[in-house]
Amino acid sequence: MTSHQTAPQTMKPATAAKKLGVYLEATPAEFRDGVVSRAELNALQADPPAWLQELRRNGPHPRPVVAAKLGVSIAGLARAGVTEPLTTEQIEALKDESPEWLQRERATQAEVRKEGARIKKRNAERAAERP
């Protein structure tokens, strides 16, 4: 069997930004305006340039990153009316303020995790019981 050369895989900048965990609108214009190959994405992940390091450190961060840093779900952010990207400084301020909605959403997220662990344990026990 012979191997044949195929065109390199490329992705839209939005997809690459999502994979890198950064807010697309905050990336440099040359990143937003082009396409990103799989090799370029791997290079960005392995050796991030200064702009990528800065975005990851200070933001603005996309909703999934904001939610993870606050310990809540994306839906919890939406319920609280947080729809815009936040900087690391804004996230830290929210943590310090610890508003009622953040406490409630963190508690909800903890319950979800606990229930997930319970179901996983139950399924593992059932699987072990099967012959």
Side-chain angles (χ1 to χ4, degrees), residues 65-82:
V65 174
V66 172
K69 286 179 179 274
L70 289 174
V72 300
S73 67
I74 295 171
L77 287 178
R79 283 190 291 271
V82 179

Side-chain angles (χ1 to χ4, degrees), residues 44-58:
L44 287 170
Q45 290 172 325
D47 187 22
W51 65 264
L52 182 54
Q53 291 176 19
E54 177 67 18
L55 277 178
R56 285 178 169 169
R57 186 174 28 258
N58 297 318

Side-chain angles (χ1 to χ4, degrees), residues 10-37 41 44 51 62 64:
T10 59
M11 61 192 83
K12 294 178 183 175
T15 304
K18 188 174 185 179
K19 289 179 181 287
L20 293 169
V22 295
Y23 182 57
L24 177 63
E25 300 305 317
T27 61
E30 59 269 13
F31 180 85
R32 286 192 311 267
D33 296 338
V35 294
V36 180
S37 72
L41 178 68
L44 287 170
W51 65 264

Side-chain angles (χ1 to χ4, degrees), residues 6 8 19 27 30 44 51 61 67 71 85 114 119-121:
T6 60
K19 289 179 181 287
T27 61
E30 59 269 13
L44 287 170
W51 65 264
H61 302 288
K114 193 163 78 173
I119 290 171
K120 185 176 181 179
K121 181 181 175 190

